[in-house]
């Protein structure tokens, strides 16, 4: 099982590294992640399952893995968070066939098992909040972080519609338009503050999925550091006794 997970991880990481790079047009927003906040994790998981998992998988995690971190039973996880035909102990795999997705979007949606590790939480958070109207794109939308992205704006009903704001700057003696931000032109079902919080909750859930044992490592690390501190004291006292005996003889 461990070898299989390592193999999957290596394949996914290689796939992400081979994805074409896209230059961000606006500065990344900062987001603080707290994976001990069960309410944020539950909310983020719910919205991820509703709006993201139709296309994106998180193969490195199983539905059952959410039970402990969300504080819910396996039955609750299966009933409230698994809308697919998969069982609760199955990996979180999107029902969309990769071949069909490639035909529809031009590229298969990436697995998100390592995306936060690869891009960072700030990038994912800014990406989710930075879609804007672009009639030149096949989906009618573009993204200020990932220019000419293939993904449609699946969150527009929640956020509303945005348009880019530009300013003219001089570069190498030539005037160029540079995107400075986004402006909302049509309201969504959520207020801007609530939408931003919801996106933060989704990123929090994805951060946990990318770092599932982080909280356990922190708890264990605390006691390890205490043990190391005590061991250093004992080792020093033992060394002192040994050298006192050596000097005496």
């Amino acid at each position: 099982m461990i070898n299989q997970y390592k193999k999957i991880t290596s394949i996914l990481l290689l796939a992400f590294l081979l994805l074409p790079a896209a230059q961000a047009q606006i500065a990344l927003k900062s987001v603080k992640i707290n994976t001990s906040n069960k309410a944020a994790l539950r909310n983020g998981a719910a919205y991820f399952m509703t709006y993201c998992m139709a296309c994106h998988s998180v193969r490195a995690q199983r539905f059952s893995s959410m039970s402990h971190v969300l504080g819910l039973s396996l039955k609750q996880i299966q009933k409230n968070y698994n809308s697919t035909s998969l069982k609760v102990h199955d990996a979180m795999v999107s029902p969309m066939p990769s071949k069909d997705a490639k035909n529809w979007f031009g590229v298969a949606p990436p697995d998100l098992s390592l995306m936060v590790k690869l891009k960072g939480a700030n990038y994912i958070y800014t990406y989710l909040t930075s879609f804007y109207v672009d009639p030149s794109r096949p989906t009618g939308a573009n993204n200020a972080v990932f220019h000419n992205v293939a993904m449609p704006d699946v969150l527009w009903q929640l956020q509303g519609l945005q348009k880019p704001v530009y300013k003219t700057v001089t570069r190498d003696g030539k005037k160029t338009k540079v995107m400075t931000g986004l402006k909302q032109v049509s309201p969504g079902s959520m207020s801007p503050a609530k939408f931003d919080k919801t996106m933060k909750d989704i990123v929090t859930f994805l951060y946990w999925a990318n770092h599932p044992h982080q909280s356990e490592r922190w708890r264990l690390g605390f006691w390890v550091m205490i043990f190391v501190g005590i061991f250093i004291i004992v080792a020093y006292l033992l060394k002192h006794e040994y050298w006192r005996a050596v000097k005496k003889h």
Side-chain angles (χ1 to χ4, degrees):
M1 182 64 185
I2 295 177
N3 292 333
Q4 184 180 4
Y5 175 76
K6 288 182 177 178
K7 184 178 180 180
I8 293 175
T9 302
S10 300
I11 294 174
L12 293 176
L13 181 58
L14 179 61
F16 293 153
L17 293 176
L18 291 177
L19 287 175
Q23 184 178 4
Q25 296 178 286
I26 61 174
L28 298 183
K29 303 176 185 177
S30 178
V31 58
K32 293 183 179 180
I33 302 298
N34 179 14
T35 53
S36 63
N37 187 338
K38 292 188 183 299
L41 285 167
R42 290 180 183 179
N43 191 50
Y47 276 96
F48 177 84
M49 298 302 168
T50 302
Y51 289 92
C52 306
M53 198 174 168
C55 300
H56 295 280
S57 301
V58 188
R59 294 177 182 272
Q61 295 299 326
R62 302 178 184 275
F63 290 100
S64 55
S65 302
M66 298 190 296
S67 177
H68 175 69
V69 70
L70 298 185
L72 301 173
S73 67
L74 293 179
K75 288 184 178 180
Q76 289 175 310
I77 294 294
Q78 182 70 4
K79 178 181 178 181
N80 300 321
Y81 293 91
N82 184 8
S83 58
T84 70
S85 60
L86 299 172
K87 297 181 180 180
V88 71
H89 291 293
D90 290 338
M92 296 168 60
V93 179
S94 169
M96 179 182 291
S98 297
K99 185 177 180 180
D100 292 340
K102 190 172 183 179
N103 290 333
W104 296 332
F105 304 116
V107 60
D111 185 288
L112 303 181
S113 298
L114 296 174
M115 190 59 75
V116 175
K117 286 185 177 181
L118 179 66
K119 294 292 189 178
N122 291 344
Y123 178 93
I124 304 300
Y125 173 66
T126 310
Y127 172 82
L128 291 174
T129 59
S130 298
F131 281 91
Y132 63 89
V133 176
D134 185 351
S136 67
R137 298 296 299 156
T139 62
N142 210 328
N143 192 280
V145 173
F146 195 134
H147 187 56
N148 289 341
V149 66
M151 175 179 166
D153 184 7
V154 298
L155 303 167
W156 73 271
Q157 289 180 312
L158 302 179
Q159 183 185 28
L161 299 177
Q162 300 185 116
K163 71 174 184 179
V165 177
Y166 295 97
K167 73 174 182 179
T168 302
V169 298
T170 302
R171 291 181 178 176
D172 300 326
K174 297 181 179 180
K175 292 185 177 181
T176 307
K177 282 187 176 182
V178 177
M179 186 184 297
T180 58
L182 298 170
K183 180 181 179 181
Q184 190 170 27
V185 294
S186 175
S189 60
M190 292 183 174
S191 66
K194 185 176 180 181
F195 178 78
D196 285 349
K197 180 184 179 302
T198 301
M199 295 306 102
K200 178 181 176 181
D201 291 346
I202 292 178
V203 176
T204 300
F205 172 73
L206 285 175
Y207 188 93
W208 163 80
N210 283 231
H211 306 80
H213 304 296
Q214 185 180 75
S215 59
E216 296 176 18
R217 293 199 302 269
W218 284 351
R219 287 195 297 268
L220 181 61
F222 173 77
W223 294 108
V224 169
M225 293 303 296
I226 291 179
F227 170 79
V228 170
I230 295 174
F231 178 79
I232 290 175
I233 296 173
V234 173
Y236 174 79
L237 294 175
L238 186 61
K239 168 188 170 294
H240 186 269
E241 289 298 317
Y242 281 158
W243 278 102
R244 186 171 65 174
V246 170
K247 292 178 180 179
K248 183 176 180 181
H249 295 285

